[in-house]
């Protein structure tokens, strides 16, 4: 045992289920891990069809911190 309670998985697109779950677990004591599943781009047909395209990471080259090469 890792010392925390596990709740889930729950549907991250179902607002009623999210609210109900959080209302129930706020009464629990100790550490709690809530596993929420979502679908990338849910509700926007193009991103549901091509989830690997959106959202994109900024393609600008990252600059290292001062003093690092």
């Amino acid at each position: 045992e890792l010392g925390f309670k596990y709740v889930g998985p729950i549907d991250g697109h179902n607002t009623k289920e999210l609210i109900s779950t959080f209302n129930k677990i706020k009464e629990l004591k100790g550490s709690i891990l809530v596993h929420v599943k979502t679908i990338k781009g849910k509700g926007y047909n193009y991103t549901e069809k091509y989830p690997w395209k959106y959202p994109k990471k900024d393609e600008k080259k990252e600059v290292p911190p001062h003093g690092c090469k």
Side-chain angles (χ1 to χ4, degrees):
E1 185 172 311
L2 298 174
F4 58 86
K5 295 170 184 73
Y6 171 85
V7 176
I10 60 174
D11 180 0
H13 301 288
N14 183 333
T15 307
K16 288 181 182 180
E17 184 178 5
L18 285 168
I19 292 170
S20 174
T21 301
F22 283 111
N23 281 331
K24 290 175 187 173
I25 65 172
K26 70 182 179 182
E27 305 297 325
L28 299 175
K29 304 285 186 215
S31 300
I32 304 164
L33 172 68
V34 181
H35 180 177
V36 180
K37 292 181 74 174
T38 60
I39 297 171
K40 185 177 183 177
K42 176 83 172 171
Y44 184 55
N45 290 336
Y46 190 78
T47 57
E48 285 187 48
K49 188 173 180 180
Y50 306 105
W52 61 90
K53 289 186 175 184
Y54 297 96
K56 278 190 169 182
K57 180 182 175 188
D58 186 5
E59 295 179 5
K60 293 179 183 174
K61 185 177 178 182
E62 293 184 23
V63 179
H66 180 70
C68 296
K69 293 187 180 190

